[in-house]
Amino acid sequence: MVSFKKAGIEDIALIRELSLKIWPQTYSAILTPVQMDYMLEMMYSPSSLNEQMVQKQHIFIIAYHNEEAVGFASYSHTDASAGSHYRLHKIYVLPSMQGTGLGKKMIEHIISIIIPLGAVSLELNVNRHNKAKGFYEKQGFSIVREEDIDIGNGYFMNDYIMKKTL
């Protein structure tokens, strides 16, 4: 059985633990170990997660399968002049749960929350070499542009920006 819980500050250690289990298998073919360590610290250190939750107002959810935490996602409202737009910042599932439909259920869960709030679209970034691009396309997202983001230390995120109209 799958369930979702809105995460809070008290869940930062769990989110970090999940990221440390998921990232190495997800990105080993795309990132060097040094870049992976840099990005994990940049995005998943306790202070970074706290900033995302508190200052940036990212809403995190944790996915549970039979009461075991197996994934997480985060999203936020974006300031846009036309309509109510949202951004999916993160969506990660343990490798043992990939291919089970959990990612799809997580996206559906987030959409079920944001549509009553007036959401008209959901946007995300995905690395141009990440096989998850195909997953997002199956969920109704399409590429709207490319973006190269300087994340410091000489590293760039080379992404597609994908969008789903709701």
Side-chain angles (χ1 to χ4, degrees):
M1 180 175 145
V2 174
S3 62
F4 302 101
K5 173 192 157 209
K6 183 177 177 184
I9 300 297
E10 69 278 4
D11 297 305
I12 284 176
L14 176 58
I15 293 167
R16 180 169 169 79
E17 178 186 330
L18 285 167
S19 70
L20 294 173
K21 290 178 181 175
I22 297 168
W23 264 60
Q25 289 190 28
T26 302
Y27 293 111
S28 63
I30 299 172
L31 305 175
T32 66
V34 174
Q35 183 177 356
M36 190 176 313
D37 289 345
Y38 174 78
M39 292 179 72
L40 278 167
E41 187 61 26
M42 181 184 82
M43 291 188 260
Y44 295 100
S45 67
S47 61
S48 176
L49 288 167
N50 186 64
E51 178 185 345
Q52 291 168 55
M53 288 180 181
V54 178
Q55 282 87 16
K56 295 182 178 178
Q57 298 183 344
H58 294 187
I59 299 162
F60 280 75
I61 61 166
I62 299 174
Y64 291 87
H65 180 256
N66 297 331
E67 300 184 29
E68 176 191 353
V70 294
F72 67 95
S74 75
Y75 65 95
S76 68
H77 183 260
T78 59
D79 295 322
S81 57
S84 189
H85 301 273
Y86 283 78
R87 173 164 278 282
L88 181 63
H89 297 283
K90 305 173 187 333
I91 180 169
Y92 292 104
V93 174
L94 287 175
S96 63
M97 292 296 293
Q98 291 175 5
T100 66
L102 180 60
K104 178 180 180 174
K105 288 177 185 174
M106 291 174 75
I107 290 174
E108 289 171 348
H109 178 72
I110 291 169
I111 290 171
S112 77
I113 293 169
I114 64 175
I115 282 186
L117 301 174
V120 296
S121 69
L122 183 60
E123 193 174 82
L124 59 85
N125 282 45
V126 63
N127 182 286
R128 291 195 288 266
H129 302 289
N130 191 332
K131 63 183 179 180
K133 176 185 161 280
F135 164 76
Y136 294 126
E137 289 171 332
K138 288 179 186 173
Q139 307 315 309
F141 288 85
S142 57
I143 296 169
V144 293
R145 65 185 181 280
E146 293 182 5
E147 181 176 53
D148 295 316
I149 305 164
D150 184 345
I151 59 169
N153 240 29
Y155 299 122
F156 285 83
M157 293 194 317
N158 306 114
D159 291 349
Y160 289 123
I161 296 176
M162 301 183 79
K163 185 176 186 175
K164 176 179 175 127
T165 301
L166 305 177

